[in-house]
Amino acid sequence: MLDTILKYFPNLTERQREQLSLMMRLYPEWNEKINVISRKDIDNLEVNHLLHSLSIAKFINFTPGTRILDLGCGGGLPGLPLAVLFPECRFHLVDRVGKKIKVATEIAAACGLKNVTLQHGDSGECPRGAYDFVVSRAVMPLPDLVKASRPHLAKKMQNAYPNGLITLKGGELSAELGFYKHDTLIEPLAQWFPDEPFFETKMLTYTPV
């Protein structure tokens, strides 16, 4: 059931495998009630959504105690799969759409994710200076994300990269980066998942904030 994920993350513990397998079952069930993933794409859940979320772990290995804010988490992506991979880190997921937070909350509870908190609301309502990284998956243009993220990032760093914003995006990014094009690191996801056509046009961006 997790053949593709295990191909690229072979060292998952039995508990992590159980949690991700449960997500593979729960997302389609919840998606029938509340649409958080395109119904045309739900059959591609493992690669296009769970593995896509986990690609952040190919870029950075969060140290224990790292605090991550998932801005505009939707139904819990990328925050929930990352919380499985990094059980000693703390994840706070926020989204303006209540029904999407409901799905994320139910899946987090079912998977026993004790390192996750969830909030229905706007990013402006999140604590200031309380996080080491903000992660986001195709929510808004990068300059807007930088502006929304900056107040919430702490100054002190504990990871290989300075605190900042990590996004998952697709397509041509040069026009979107704008003022931040010289500060932003762009990593093609195909370098980590070479056998998966989905990732041919997908990128990870990292912007220290």
PDB file of all heavy atoms in Angstrom, residues 44 52 66 79 127 140 181 198:
ATOM      1  N   ASN A  44      -4.512   9.193  -6.850  1.00  0.00           N
ATOM      2  CA  ASN A  44      -3.067   9.406  -6.853  1.00  0.00           C
ATOM      3  C   ASN A  44      -2.564   9.920  -5.502  1.00  0.00           C
ATOM      4  O   ASN A  44      -1.529  10.573  -5.431  1.00  0.00           O
ATOM      5  CB  ASN A  44      -2.700  10.415  -7.950  1.00  0.00           C
ATOM      6  CG  ASN A  44      -3.144   9.961  -9.322  1.00  0.00           C
ATOM      7  OD1 ASN A  44      -2.912   8.822  -9.713  1.00  0.00           O
ATOM      8  ND2 ASN A  44      -3.814  10.846 -10.054  1.00  0.00           N
ATOM      9  N   HIS A  52       4.500  13.874  -2.037  1.00  0.00           N
ATOM     10  CA  HIS A  52       4.775  15.287  -2.316  1.00  0.00           C
ATOM     11  C   HIS A  52       5.017  16.046  -1.017  1.00  0.00           C
ATOM     12  O   HIS A  52       5.968  16.834  -0.906  1.00  0.00           O
ATOM     13  CB  HIS A  52       3.593  15.885  -3.084  1.00  0.00           C
ATOM     14  CG  HIS A  52       3.864  17.246  -3.633  1.00  0.00           C
ATOM     15  ND1 HIS A  52       2.872  18.181  -3.806  1.00  0.00           N
ATOM     16  CD2 HIS A  52       5.006  17.853  -4.044  1.00  0.00           C
ATOM     17  CE1 HIS A  52       3.394  19.294  -4.313  1.00  0.00           C
ATOM     18  NE2 HIS A  52       4.684  19.125  -4.455  1.00  0.00           N
ATOM     19  N   THR A  66      12.084  21.190  16.782  1.00  0.00           N
ATOM     20  CA  THR A  66      11.770  22.213  15.786  1.00  0.00           C
ATOM     21  C   THR A  66      10.263  22.457  15.747  1.00  0.00           C
ATOM     22  O   THR A  66       9.462  21.524  15.837  1.00  0.00           O
ATOM     23  CB  THR A  66      12.266  21.780  14.384  1.00  0.00           C
ATOM     24  OG1 THR A  66      13.685  21.603  14.434  1.00  0.00           O
ATOM     25  CG2 THR A  66      11.924  22.818  13.331  1.00  0.00           C
ATOM     26  N   GLY A  79       1.506  19.169   6.459  1.00  0.00           N
ATOM     27  CA  GLY A  79       1.813  19.048   7.882  1.00  0.00           C
ATOM     28  C   GLY A  79       1.672  17.662   8.475  1.00  0.00           C
ATOM     29  O   GLY A  79       2.551  17.211   9.230  1.00  0.00           O
ATOM     30  N   PRO A 127       0.582  32.658  16.997  1.00  0.00           N
ATOM     31  CA  PRO A 127       1.572  33.342  17.851  1.00  0.00           C
ATOM     32  C   PRO A 127       2.728  33.919  17.040  1.00  0.00           C
ATOM     33  O   PRO A 127       3.192  33.316  16.074  1.00  0.00           O
ATOM     34  CB  PRO A 127       2.055  32.224  18.787  1.00  0.00           C
ATOM     35  CG  PRO A 127       0.997  31.184  18.741  1.00  0.00           C
ATOM     36  CD  PRO A 127       0.390  31.255  17.388  1.00  0.00           C
ATOM     37  N   MET A 140      -0.404  30.424  -1.967  1.00  0.00           N
ATOM     38  CA  MET A 140      -0.431  31.782  -2.503  1.00  0.00           C
ATOM     39  C   MET A 140       0.950  32.109  -3.070  1.00  0.00           C
ATOM     40  O   MET A 140       1.904  31.377  -2.835  1.00  0.00           O
ATOM     41  CB  MET A 140      -0.831  32.784  -1.411  1.00  0.00           C
ATOM     42  CG  MET A 140       0.132  32.875  -0.255  1.00  0.00           C
ATOM     43  SD  MET A 140      -0.356  34.057   1.053  1.00  0.00           S
ATOM     44  CE  MET A 140      -1.600  33.129   1.947  1.00  0.00           C
ATOM     45  N   LYS A 181      13.869  36.606  -5.629  1.00  0.00           N
ATOM     46  CA  LYS A 181      14.505  35.631  -6.508  1.00  0.00           C
ATOM     47  C   LYS A 181      15.980  35.411  -6.175  1.00  0.00           C
ATOM     48  O   LYS A 181      16.518  34.319  -6.391  1.00  0.00           O
ATOM     49  CB  LYS A 181      14.344  36.052  -7.966  1.00  0.00           C
ATOM     50  CG  LYS A 181      15.014  37.358  -8.347  1.00  0.00           C
ATOM     51  CD  LYS A 181      14.715  37.695  -9.804  1.00  0.00           C
ATOM     52  CE  LYS A 181      15.343  39.017 -10.198  1.00  0.00           C
ATOM     53  NZ  LYS A 181      15.038  39.360 -11.606  1.00  0.00           N
ATOM     54  N   PHE A 198       5.151  12.656 -12.000  1.00  0.00           N
ATOM     55  CA  PHE A 198       4.450  13.765 -11.351  1.00  0.00           C
ATOM     56  C   PHE A 198       5.400  14.877 -10.923  1.00  0.00           C
ATOM     57  O   PHE A 198       5.047  16.057 -10.930  1.00  0.00           O
ATOM     58  CB  PHE A 198       3.681  13.246 -10.124  1.00  0.00           C
ATOM     59  CG  PHE A 198       3.087  14.321  -9.262  1.00  0.00           C
ATOM     60  CD1 PHE A 198       1.943  15.007  -9.648  1.00  0.00           C
ATOM     61  CD2 PHE A 198       3.673  14.663  -8.041  1.00  0.00           C
ATOM     62  CE1 PHE A 198       1.397  16.009  -8.858  1.00  0.00           C
ATOM     63  CE2 PHE A 198       3.130  15.663  -7.247  1.00  0.00           C
ATOM     64  CZ  PHE A 198       1.997  16.335  -7.656  1.00  0.00           C
TER      65      PHE A 198
END
